[in-house]
Each structure stands twice: as C-alpha cells, then as structure tokens.
Amino acid sequence: MQALFSILPPMTRIVSKFGGSSLADAIQFRKVRYILEGNPNRKIVVVSAPGKKDPKETKLTDLLYAIYDLAKNGLDFSEPWKFVKGRFIEITEGLSIKSTIREELEELEKSLQKQSDDLSVDFVVSRGEYLCAKIMSEYLSAKFIDAYPIIQFDSQHRVTQESLDNLAAALADPEPLYVIPGFYGSDMQGKLKTFTRGGSDITGAILANACDCLLYENWTDVSGLLMADPRIVQEAHSINYVSYREIRELAYSGANVLHDESIAPCRAKNISINIKNTNNPSDLGTIIGPTPASVSKTITGIAGRKEFSMVYIEKSMMNKEKGFGRKVLGILEDHDVSYELSPCGIDSMNIVVDSKSFHRVQPIVFAEIQQKMQPNKIKIFNNLALIATVGHGMVSQTGTAARLFSALAKENINVRIIDQGSSEINIIIGVSEVDFEKAIRAIYREFVD
Ligand code: ASP
C-alpha cells in the first residue's frame, strides 16, 4: 500500500491531530516536529492535552477535573496542581523555548484560588489543550488559533455551520503552519464548552471539513487498528483499510482508537482519515475512507463490549397487539434507559440495554412491564457481552453466518442473541460475559488465521 500523502495533489493541506501520548514530554514534542517537517502539506496541527508518561499516572485532563472540584469546594488543590504545572514547565524547559506558559499558569492558579463564579469546569479542563497548543505553537513558531471564539455549539451541542465558515476564514491563508487546541469551543452564550471526552479527535475532523482537506491524520501510539483487541487475540493482524461504515460499527462495539463523532465531518466530504503512530511514523497505519476495502477478506474486524442486560418478553399473539413494542420501549424511556438492539420473534421480544443505566431501575421496569403489558413470561438476563463481526466482504460471501455459528458451537458457546442488520456488513451476537474472550478468539480463528 502506498503512503496516502504521496498521492495527494501537491498543495492539499493535511490536518494532523496529535493525541496525549504524542505530547507527553519534550521528547514527544520533538517527534511531532520531525513528523511535520516530513511533509510540507501538514499545515494544520491540532493537539490534545499532554498524556501520561507512565501508565500509573493519572491523566492530566482527569487531574484538571479534580482540581476544579477541590477548588470549587474550597479544598486544597496544591498537590494535583503541582503535577499539572510541573508537567507544562518540564516540557518548555526540555524544549529550551522562551514561553509565556509560566504567566498563564500563574493566572489560572490565582483564578482557582479566588474560586470565582465564572470559572467553569469546562474552562479549567480545557486548559490542558490550550496550554499544550500554546507551547506547541511557540516551539514550532506557528500561528496559534484559539478554538474558543471560532467553534460554536448550538443548543443541542452540535457544531454550527457558521463555525465551519469561520474556521475556513481564520485558516484561509494556505502558507502558515497553524496550531489549534482540540476538545473545546463555546456555546451560544459565549461560554466555553468542551466536547465529550476524547473530543480533540472531533476538532481535527471539523477542521479537515472546514478547510476542505483530503486527508486527516490522527497520530497516536499505535500503528492503526487491529482486527481484534490484542489483549484477547495476541497476534491480531492490523487493518490497512476500513470504510466509514465499518469503523462506525466497530467503534460502537468497543474498538476505540478514534472518537466516533469524528467520522461524520470527514464522511460528509469524503476525507480519508489515517491513524498513524508518532513513535513509528513510517508505519502506514490504518486508512478510514469512503469505499469498501477489497472484498477478498470476508471480515474486516471483530469488536465487543461487556455489561449488557436483556429483557425477554413472551406473549402469545404479540404480533397482533398493535403498539406492543412501542409501549415496552416507552416504559424504558420513562426510566431514562435507551435500548441497543431489539431482536424479535413472532411471540417474543428481546430488548438489549446497557447494564450501567439499567441496573438501578431494573426492578421497577420489570414490575411495570408485567403490570402494563401482561406478558406470559418475562425474564431478565444480566452479564451479557455483545460481539460484532464486521466486514463488507460478508455481503458477497455465502455461508458466513454458518461458519461463525459453527465456530462458536465447536467451543460450546451458547449464543443468546443474534442480530444481522439488513446492511449485512455486521453480525452481532450476544453471549454470556464468561464466554466473551473465548468467542472472539473462535471467530478470529475461523475467519482470519
Ligand atoms: N484531553 C481530553 C480528554 O482527555 C480530550 C482529548 O484528549 O481528546 O478527554
């Protein structure tokens, strides 16, 4: 496979987003510089907050959340603050740059001490990205563009079209190298607002869309996606190419390299996303793009998640009872539980829900269904895991489902839920959590090994 940037038109700008692990210390910053120098089209840089240097450390963004809580409650925040401050100063010193960071840190510390009312949690946690972008722009002598006044959310927390136009205008000059902090923007009232966690990926995608880039590079600490979680399948192969639709299914089911909301802005303009490794920049990584990959492979990947519950309802002549499904789902909605899947039989209905939101309301939902729907039988199964086997290749190959189920049967795995969407690019099965890892390994062996 050819490196994607080598086939782009010469003046096409690339958005390069660097995640926390690519910014953990001065050594990582130097790697970023080396990567940017490797291709003059890498003109738009988005950064996360510095990540962990050691897996035992607490993530800097989490520390900022803790600092805000402590300060708000008038408690001593000096210890986590010392760590955060120390990390930024250590990076600037390691890079031997003149920086305004000390003053910025002092100002933030003072506002925290004053516990001023307009100091919001979103503002405090966004400082991880803000300060990191400041240092990066100083280090690269690049133009710093703050996301706060430009990226705006509407009342539904969606990025407005106006923001995209404003971003395009702010970055209209193709010459400079720009550095923009990820993870935040502002609401309609002009208050700073963050995206959901991991949201710097979304900032990068929005920039790629606004500036009509053909490529969005997402630099992290792995060389792309693997066909299965390497903690479960040790020798899992890497995925060279995956379509937007496939990645959406895999990400929903637990494969998490990229924030799932970063797909839509790229998909809207057919922008390819390249997941790359800052520590191994010559690895090609994974490309996420519009067209299905070659269908010579039956499956593209397997992903899964634990902690699901299933409500099984049986009632004879259910199919004739108008509004049955709507009423059952209405009961869940009343208790703020959304459903994930609902495979149905003629006289039975299964509703799969996330256990975390379901557990606290389980008894009351059970009682209400019983009272309002008068089923012949109702049962709740907990400790379920969902596994998605994904690939465009499945559409054109007969017998894929048969192969999958016989591989599971050979391992004595009882399949509790089966769901194959009409798109045929995904077969979801539900198994008991104890069989989760064994099932993924069995499917992998059947289709990949
Ligand atoms: N620093 C933020 C977080 O930890 C955003 C990001 O890294 O993308 O969620």
Side-chain angles (χ1 to χ4, degrees):
M1 193 175 58
Q2 203 176 356
L4 200 58
F5 69 74
S6 62
I7 48 175
L8 289 176
M11 267 330 290
T12 314
R13 289 187 293 179
I14 298 171
V15 171
S16 306
K17 180 259 165 179
F18 292 89
S21 58
S22 308
L23 303 157
D25 56 21
I27 299 172
Q28 294 302 87
F29 269 64
R30 290 209 165 83
K31 290 185 191 168
V32 170
R33 178 178 210 147
Y34 172 79
I35 288 166
L36 297 173
E37 285 170 356
N39 183 343
N41 292 17
R42 292 183 175 127
K43 291 274 194 202
I44 304 171
V45 178
V46 177
V47 294
S48 288
K52 302 182 198 180
K53 281 207 297 187
D54 182 316
K56 287 196 271 326
E57 279 176 6
T58 306
K59 215 177 161 187
L60 198 131
T61 305
D62 293 317
L63 286 176
L64 288 168
Y65 276 108
I67 289 168
Y68 173 82
D69 277 344
L70 291 167
K72 192 88 203 140
N73 293 307
L75 299 168
D76 176 21
F77 60 86
S78 57
E79 211 178 296
W81 177 250
K82 206 169 124 199
F83 183 92
V84 170
K85 190 171 161 187
R87 174 59 53 89
F88 283 114
I89 290 175
E90 185 189 298
I91 295 173
T92 46
E93 284 177 353
L95 296 171
S96 313
I97 50 167
K98 266 194 163 247
S99 173
T100 54
I101 267 343
R102 278 179 195 272
E103 292 85 76
E104 301 255 15
L105 286 162
E106 260 160 44
E107 212 179 294
L108 179 58
E109 188 175 355
K110 274 195 208 127
S111 327
L112 285 162
Q113 273 156 353
K114 274 196 261 156
Q115 300 163 37
S116 67
D117 272 348
D118 40 64
L119 195 67
S120 70
V121 60
D122 286 27
F123 177 82
V124 173
V125 300
S126 72
R127 297 305 86 184
E129 275 68 15
Y130 170 82
L131 294 170
C132 190
K134 276 274 161 141
I135 302 177
M136 187 59 88
S137 61
E138 288 165 346
Y139 175 53
L140 299 171
S141 307
K143 199 165 169 185
F144 172 84
I145 304 262
D146 195 0
Y148 159 71
I150 311 184
I151 298 182
Q152 257 204 353
F153 302 108
D154 65 14
S155 54
Q156 312 270 325
H157 208 258
R158 286 175 309 217
V159 172
T160 60
Q161 178 58 44
E162 210 188 337
S163 317
L164 300 179
D165 300 340
N166 293 342
L167 277 173
L171 281 80
D173 184 354
E175 281 314 310
L177 174 65
Y178 298 96
V179 178
I180 301 113
F183 190 41
Y184 66 91
S186 56
D187 66 13
M188 302 303 254
Q189 286 70 44
K191 280 184 78 181
L192 192 145
K193 276 273 157 245
T194 60
F195 286 97
T196 48
R197 296 300 304 269
S200 302
D201 284 345
I202 315 174
T203 309
I206 286 167
L207 272 154
N209 177 305
C211 299
D212 286 322
C213 300
L214 295 179
L215 178 62
Y216 168 30
E217 290 178 337
N218 193 288
W219 292 86
T220 175
D221 56 356
V222 289
S223 295
L225 249 82
L226 297 175
M227 290 187 78
D229 185 335
R231 288 166 300 187
I232 301 173
V233 179
Q234 269 152 25
E235 294 306 317
H237 294 204
S238 44
I239 302 178
N240 297 329
Y241 187 93
V242 57
S243 74
Y244 299 132
R245 281 179 60 208
E246 288 171 325
I247 193 79
R248 173 82 185 103
E249 306 272 0
L250 287 168
Y252 164 78
S253 305
N256 56 359
V257 250
L258 193 70
H259 196 299
D260 59 356
E261 285 173 47
S262 49
I263 306 295
C266 293
R267 194 173 179 172
K269 289 199 173 168
N270 279 348
I271 301 161
S272 296
I273 307 168
N274 195 179
I275 312 284
K276 298 270 289 172
N277 189 347
T278 301
N279 304 319
N280 264 320
S282 56
D283 286 355
L284 293 174
T286 299
I287 293 168
I288 305 167
T291 46
S294 105
V295 288
S296 59
K297 276 191 185 145
T298 310
I299 69 162
T300 302
I302 310 162
R305 280 196 284 151
K306 291 182 178 175
E307 289 190 273
F308 288 100
S309 300
M310 181 171 76
V311 185
Y312 171 81
I313 306 163
E314 203 179 290
K315 187 170 187 189
S316 47
M317 304 307 286
M318 180 189 280
N319 62 325
K320 296 271 184 258
E321 201 173 318
K322 290 195 187 79
F324 190 92
R326 178 180 53 76
K327 286 180 203 150
V328 173
L329 295 179
I331 295 173
L332 289 171
E333 187 183 347
D334 290 346
H335 294 284
D336 207 22
V337 178
S338 63
Y339 79 99
E340 311 286 328
L341 304 172
S342 179
C344 294
I346 308 294
D347 282 334
S348 67
M349 181 176 183
N350 296 288
I351 306 156
V352 181
V353 292
D354 189 322
S355 305
K356 289 189 283 303
S357 58
F358 185 58
H359 272 158
R360 68 196 151 80
V361 292
Q362 182 170 322
I364 178 152
V365 167
F366 187 91
E368 259 182 56
I369 295 178
Q370 219 156 21
Q371 189 218 335
K372 293 186 182 158
M373 310 309 300
Q374 304 282 311
N376 301 113
K377 193 168 165 187
I378 167 167
K379 252 184 118 159
I380 294 179
F381 299 91
N382 287 313
N383 306 320
L384 284 175
L386 294 183
I387 299 172
T389 305
V390 177
H392 286 282
M394 298 197 299
V395 185
S396 56
Q397 316 234 347
T398 44
T400 309
R403 280 174 68 189
L404 190 139
F405 292 114
S406 56
L408 295 169
K410 259 189 250 153
E411 293 291 330
N412 268 328
I413 296 168
N414 182 15
V415 178
R416 296 259 174 87
I417 304 159
I418 303 172
D419 188 272
Q420 179 172 26
S422 48
S423 67
E424 285 189 53
I425 71 161
N426 192 3
I427 300 177
I428 296 179
I429 56 153
V431 297
S432 160
E433 281 182 356
V434 290
D435 287 330
F436 178 67
E437 286 82 6
K438 196 159 77 159
I440 290 186
R441 281 194 283 268
I443 300 170
Y444 190 89
R445 262 197 313 276
E446 174 62 34
F447 291 102
V448 190
D449 268 356

